[in-house]
Every structure is written in C-alpha cells, then in structure tokens.
Amino acid sequence: MISRENFAGWYRNRLVWVAVILLAVSAGAVVLVNRARPKAEPADLQGQIMTRMRTTLEQADPGQHNHAGHSVQQVATAEEKPAVICGVRVYGYEPAAVTALADVRTVYGFHLCGVAEQKRPWDVAVKLAGPVIMDMSTEPPGIQVVEATADVMFVDRLREMFPDKYADLALKEALTDSEMADQRRRYDAAAGL
C-alpha cells in the first residue's frame, strides 16, 4: 500500500517536472517568436536610408521642408504641434559605392508629408511634397527642397540640383503604392481617425 507521505512526495515531484517542462516550452516559444519578428532597423542600406530620411523629415519643423506655396502658418497653432507624417522614396545617394549609412553624404529622393492635425482627414491636410536632397554629413541632416523661382522654372531648378540619373526619376516617379499605403495608415493613426 502507498503511504500518504510517499504519495505527497511523488505528487510534489510530478508538479515540479510539469513546471520545468512548461518553462522549457515557454522559453522555446519566446525564442522562436523573437527569431521570426523582423528587426526594427532594416538590414539593407536602402532601407536604412529611407528610415533615416523619414525620421529626419518627421522630426523637422515643417518650415524646413516647406515649399510649393505652403507656409507654416497654415498649420494649427495649438500648444502641442501636430505630428508630421512622411512617406519617402530614395532615388539614389552619393557616394554610390558606400555600404554603410555613416558613409552616405547626400541622398536624392522624394517626400510627401502630411501635417496630422486631430480629426483632419488626409484629403484636406496640409501637405508638403516634392523632390528633396538631404545632406547626411551634418547632424541633423540638412533638408533642401526643389523650388521654382520667379526666374527659374521647377524643371530647370530640378535639373540644376539633381544629377541627371536622379533628375529623370524625380520627374516621373513619386511614392510606391506600399509606401503610400503605410503613410496613410500612420497619418490616420496620428490624426485620431
């Protein structure tokens, strides 16, 4: 016959082993989930440049990449500034042979930013858009937009500022569909829609 003390010892050991097995399975699941999750920092240089460009434009005052007749006064003057949500496209960078973000000096691309005032839909938001050059050799990176002047047309100014291989892209291409969809999703969240 099994004594009461024998049964209690066996039962206790059984619970310990069940706890050990559950702990091992949980730890294994955490490792698998962390391996499958994409890293926050993109591994490729193009992705790193896009992330840096987007972050720089979103953190900059809208006046720094202000153009096309939009002025900062159009943005709400509430104490808390509304978020600026940007979509970007990288046309290229110089020097072209670099493999590390720290070595990139100049980025040529396109930006479309919306000022996400609360409850203001995308269609009526203040937007800042167009070809942009970022000087990555400074901290924070310098932002230079292409603007027409009274004497120089937009296309001519673009060709003055951009190398030919990027100027042709800038005249034809803006954001990709996936970048635009991501930007709209982030804009709606920031505007509380």
Side-chain angles (χ1 to χ4, degrees), residues 8-189:
W10 176 82
Y11 191 115
R12 231 177 311 176
N13 286 337
R14 184 175 176 194
L15 288 179
V16 168
W17 284 110
V18 168
V20 167
I21 290 170
L22 286 174
L23 183 62
V25 169
S26 298
V30 167
V31 167
L32 289 175
V33 166
N34 284 339
R35 274 182 151 181
R37 186 176 298 152
K39 292 179 174 52
E41 190 68 30
D44 65 308
L45 182 58
Q46 185 86 358
Q48 291 176 8
I49 293 170
M50 283 183 66
T51 300
R52 180 72 190 271
M53 235 177 119
R54 183 181 302 115
T55 302
T56 300
L57 289 165
E58 288 180 348
Q59 291 175 351
D61 185 279
Q64 287 181 275
H65 50 107
N66 175 34
H67 56 90
H70 292 290
S71 64
V72 180
Q73 287 78 23
Q74 288 177 305
V75 179
T77 56
E79 284 187 26
E80 184 179 317
K81 291 183 179 180
V84 176
I85 306 299
C86 297
V88 297
R89 181 166 187 172
V90 176
Y91 295 138
Y93 50 88
E94 300 292 336
V98 300
T99 58
L101 181 62
D103 298 330
V104 174
R105 295 289 155 234
T106 307
V107 176
Y108 300 93
F110 178 85
H111 77 300
L112 171 60
C113 299
V115 180
E117 295 176 274
Q118 286 299 302
K119 304 299 180 197
R120 180 171 280 208
W122 173 260
D123 294 338
V124 294
V126 173
K127 295 177 192 76
L128 310 163
V132 65
I133 300 171
M134 294 191 77
D135 178 2
M136 303 292 271
S137 64
T138 64
E139 190 56 46
I143 302 167
Q144 187 178 13
V145 296
V146 177
E147 286 187 284
T149 65
D151 301 326
V152 182
M153 291 179 24
F154 176 82
V155 174
D156 296 332
R157 184 72 175 131
L158 176 75
R159 292 207 181 276
E160 287 175 5
M161 295 173 68
F162 273 61
D164 290 337
K165 60 185 174 183
Y166 305 136
D168 292 337
L169 283 172
L171 290 171
K172 294 185 264 183
E173 299 180 18
L175 298 183
T176 63
D177 291 340
S178 62
E179 180 71 8
M180 186 67 198
D182 179 58
Q183 179 191 21
R184 289 291 299 270
R185 180 190 51 74
R186 292 184 309 114
Y187 176 90
D188 289 347

